Amino acid sequence: MAEVIRMPKMSDTMTEGVIASWLKKVGDKVSSGDILAEVETDKATMELESYNDGTLLYIGVEEKEAAPVDGVIAIIGEKGEDYKSLLEEEKKSTPAKEEQKEVAVADSAPAEKIDTSGINASVVRMPKMSDTMTEGVIASWLKKVGDQVSSGDILAEVETDKATMELESYEDGTLLYIGPKAGESIAVEGVIAIIGEKGADYETLLKAEQSKPVASASASEPAPVKEPEVKKALAVESVAQATVAAPVVSTSESNGRVKASPLAKKLARDLGYDIAQIKGSGDHGRIVKRDVEAFQPSAQPQMEPAAEKGKPASPVALPAVVGEESYEEVPVSQMRKTIAKRLSESKFTSPHFYVTMEINMDKAIEARKSINEVSPVKVSFNDLVVKATAAALRQHPKVNSSWLGDKIRYNKHIHIGVAVAVDEGLLVPVVRFADNKSLSHISAEIKDLAGKAANKQLQPQDWEGNTFTISNLGMFGVEEFTAIINPPDACILAVGGIKETAVVKNGQLVPGNVMKVTLSSDHRVVDGALGAAFLKTLKGLLEDPVRILV
């Protein structure tokens, strides 16, 4: 069954988190313990870990976007499972939850406020480590009252309903108070510890927690706990100064594993450090994030010949990398504004669909070589594509059409627009009556139009009237792409480069030259079968270019 992944509350003041990066994408297999994403809170960048096995079905928050605490950020379930009903339930339940919270606040009894502003200490709470978690069990404490604690140290191991996790500190100071003992459970967001300045009045903090108004039993927050159970759960208002670091890693040295937090391991891997060479400052020599950040690569031992063992390694001089942040803002040109407007209208008003086909260009290569031996101008492969496309449109006139809202225009003439890149953007000069022109005529005309486009000499009659468009990026090494329809056309053909690859001929694997083309079509005008039939004809013409001349 699909499980909703929510934004956890990772710090005392956190109200929302920003997805710094997704480490998984929709469709990926996910196992319990995998890191799904990195989340920026108001205090640190944390790893968001999965507590479920399955397939990542849905991502609700894009990178660099924020999500409120408890907001839905992802769904994990069985491959192909319908998760949309879960999203609908979430939408319906949100107003009800807000109403419950309002009722709970209205019903809460007023209490005397205790001033804690002068107490230099912070409350550590039980974080919500999974969507279904309501309480956690302290498996073991790795620190004791009176110990000095640094940000990144592991305070305790916590058993949830799905895994045993490490509870990491985000405060520096002395561990002043421990609530639940090892083996005891505590509700989510209940007070489990207090860290602060040595001698700080933590007892007043505990009293302040007990005096705070709490949500009623009907609300979604945990119910208040009476005085004898204060060590198990206290009121809900602030959040964990500690949160999930990752699944518990064995600290035994006999098993050969390096004792390091997952965040430290990832940071070391990203920086290219050998984590085994980094000295840990955490509990029992555990490597934490600050150790990786403080590590000097020059300190890594170098592999030396046996005869030189014992000699001090030569220090590595690291160059000082100095950079300056800068950018330039340029006003949008009228050409770029027009391109943006036309293509945006096309993409968001025309229902695009795409058909891709591979074309064997062996015979086209031979034909072009022969043609250029007699042609007055050099014929390119793009010229061959233009001519073949015009011939294919003559056989499939419904592709040579336009959507006009209340009617469809089927053009009987064939004017092919050829996309040309210029400094300011993209121009589409038009080869008129392309089906009636020879290859050398088409070649000379395209060269002339491209020159005019580069020199900004095109006239309106040069770029108006297209009935079909071709965009060719093969000369840039692009093998395959999709193009946005150029209005008022119903279709555009994206042409990739010719690639030498293995092909099957007569049951044998032999070298061949293949070109991929993708037809983007306005589904209001051209259906899939019609688009496929057009490409099949185009494929036949290019694979046997003599047919173009017939």
Side-chain angles (χ1 to χ4, degrees):
M1 180 178 177
E3 294 279 348
V4 171
I5 310 299
R6 301 178 185 277
M7 176 63 73
K9 194 167 187 180
M10 297 175 171
S11 79
D12 186 19
T13 56
M14 177 179 172
T15 58
E16 65 178 16
V18 175
I19 300 295
S21 64
W22 281 103
L23 305 183
K24 297 287 185 179
K25 61 181 184 297
V26 171
D28 281 357
K29 294 292 292 182
V30 177
S31 300
S32 178
D34 285 354
I35 304 302
L36 297 176
E38 294 178 333
V39 178
E40 293 178 4
T41 73
D42 55 339
K43 296 192 174 181
T45 298
M46 312 296 300
E47 293 175 336
L48 184 68
E49 186 174 324
S50 173
Y51 304 95
N52 302 286
D53 297 328
T55 299
L56 186 56
L57 303 174
Y58 168 80
I59 288 178
V61 183
E62 297 298 326
E63 291 185 357
K64 310 306 178 187
E65 290 185 354
V69 169
D70 279 340
V72 177
I73 56 177
I75 296 177
I76 294 175
E78 295 293 330
K79 186 176 182 180
E81 185 175 355
D82 182 12
Y83 61 87
K84 294 182 179 179
S85 58
L86 277 178
L87 294 176
E88 291 298 325
E89 290 175 9
E90 286 296 324
K91 290 179 181 178
K92 293 178 182 177
S93 64
T94 299
K97 289 179 181 178
E98 294 299 323
E99 185 177 346
Q100 286 179 344
K101 289 182 181 179
E102 292 176 5
V103 172
V105 171
D107 291 345
S108 60
E112 180 182 355
K113 186 175 180 180
I114 299 175
D115 183 16
T116 60
S117 59
I119 302 175
N120 190 13
S122 299
V123 173
V124 179
R125 300 180 180 276
M126 176 63 72
K128 189 170 185 177
M129 300 175 175
S130 76
D131 189 53
T132 56
M133 176 180 172
T134 58
E135 66 178 14
V137 175
I138 302 296
S140 64
W141 281 102
L142 304 182
K143 295 285 186 181
K144 62 182 183 294
V145 171
D147 283 354
Q148 283 296 118
V149 177
S150 299
S151 176
D153 287 353
I154 305 302
L155 297 176
E157 296 175 348
V158 178
E159 294 178 5
T160 73
D161 55 338
K162 299 193 176 183
T164 298
M165 314 298 297
E166 292 175 339
L167 196 67
E168 186 174 337
S169 173
Y170 292 91
E171 298 289 336
D172 296 329
T174 301
L175 184 56
L176 303 173
Y177 166 81
I178 286 178
K181 298 178 182 178
E184 293 183 348
S185 64
I186 186 167
V188 168
E189 297 190 349
V191 176
I192 56 177
I194 295 177
I195 296 174
E197 190 178 75
K198 190 173 182 179
D201 184 10
Y202 69 86
E203 293 181 352
T204 300
L205 273 181
L206 290 176
K207 291 179 181 178
E209 290 296 324
Q210 296 174 53
S211 67
K212 288 180 181 178
V214 296
S216 66
S218 62
S220 59
E221 304 292 345
V225 181
K226 295 182 180 179
E227 174 69 22
E229 298 180 55
V230 68
K231 290 186 178 181
K232 290 189 178 180
L234 290 173
V236 177
E237 279 293 331
S238 18
V239 152
Q241 296 300 329
T243 188
V244 184
V248 170
V249 180
S250 172
T251 57
S252 171
E253 296 182 359
S254 62
N255 61 10
R257 297 178 67 180
V258 176
K259 294 179 290 184
S261 73
L263 192 57
K265 289 181 179 179
K266 181 179 184 301
L267 184 59
R269 184 170 64 251
D270 292 344
L271 295 173
Y273 297 165
D274 180 1
I275 197 164
Q277 306 302 326
I278 300 175
K279 184 178 179 181
S281 62
D283 307 316
H284 310 293
R286 180 184 180 82
I287 301 166
V288 294
K289 180 183 177 184
R290 65 172 180 272
D291 299 323
V292 181
E293 292 175 336
F295 180 65
Q296 295 296 322
S298 59
Q300 296 190 68
Q302 304 295 319
M303 296 300 293
E304 301 177 354
E308 297 183 8
K309 286 185 177 178
K311 294 183 179 180
S314 300
V316 178
L318 296 178
V321 180
V322 179
E324 180 182 356
E325 293 184 357
S326 63
Y327 60 87
E328 179 184 9
E329 293 182 350
V330 179
V332 179
S333 67
Q334 288 303 113
M335 180 185 294
R336 179 56 65 184
K337 287 180 181 178
T338 302
I339 292 171
K341 180 181 178 181
R342 285 171 57 85
L343 294 186
S344 295
E345 289 174 351
S346 173
K347 185 65 177 177
F348 297 116
T349 60
S350 303
H352 286 52
F353 83 92
Y354 310 96
V355 181
T356 301
M357 191 169 285
E358 284 189 352
I359 299 174
N360 189 309
M361 295 293 285
D362 288 346
K363 289 187 177 180
I365 292 173
E366 295 175 3
R368 176 175 176 262
K369 184 178 179 180
S370 299
I371 290 169
N372 281 332
E373 291 176 356
V374 297
S375 175
V377 293
K378 186 177 180 180
V379 174
S380 68
F381 287 110
N382 194 57
D383 301 330
L384 285 171
V385 172
V386 171
K387 179 64 176 177
T389 299
L393 288 172
R394 183 57 65 199
Q395 297 184 45
H396 300 276
K398 289 187 177 180
V399 176
N400 192 43
S401 56
S402 302
W403 174 265
L404 301 181
D406 57 347
K407 54 190 173 184
I408 298 174
R409 173 179 293 170
Y410 295 108
N411 299 294
K412 297 185 179 180
H413 57 281
I414 297 174
H415 292 349
I416 295 184
V418 180
V420 176
V422 295
D423 290 341
E424 290 84 2
L426 192 70
L427 292 175
V428 187
V430 179
V431 178
R432 300 176 184 278
F433 308 106
D435 57 324
N436 295 332
K437 293 178 178 177
S438 66
L439 278 168
S440 58
H441 189 160
I442 290 173
S443 179
E445 188 171 338
I446 289 177
K447 287 179 174 61
D448 180 59
L449 290 170
K452 288 182 178 180
N455 296 322
K456 299 182 180 179
Q457 296 175 343
L458 289 175
Q459 299 300 309
Q461 63 268 22
D462 294 326
W463 69 68
E464 293 176 348
N466 49 284
T467 63
F468 188 95
T469 302
I470 294 174
S471 179
N472 191 337
L473 294 179
M475 67 286 293
F476 298 105
V478 175
E479 294 181 12
E480 180 183 2
F481 69 103
T482 58
I484 299 174
I485 296 168
N486 180 35
D489 302 348
C491 298
I492 185 171
L493 185 71
V495 182
I498 298 173
K499 179 182 178 181
E500 187 174 13
T501 187
V503 297
V504 178
K505 284 187 178 180
N506 301 320
Q508 299 293 321
L509 199 62
V510 297
N513 295 278
V514 172
M515 180 179 75
K516 287 186 178 181
V517 296
T518 299
L519 181 71
S520 304
S521 302
D522 185 341
H523 217 326
R524 297 172 299 182
V525 184
V526 178
D527 295 324
L530 178 57
F534 167 78
L535 282 189
K536 184 178 179 181
T537 299
L538 178 64
K539 175 183 173 74
L541 292 170
L542 286 173
E543 290 186 342
D544 189 6
V546 174
R547 296 170 57 191
I548 298 175
L549 306 176
V550 177

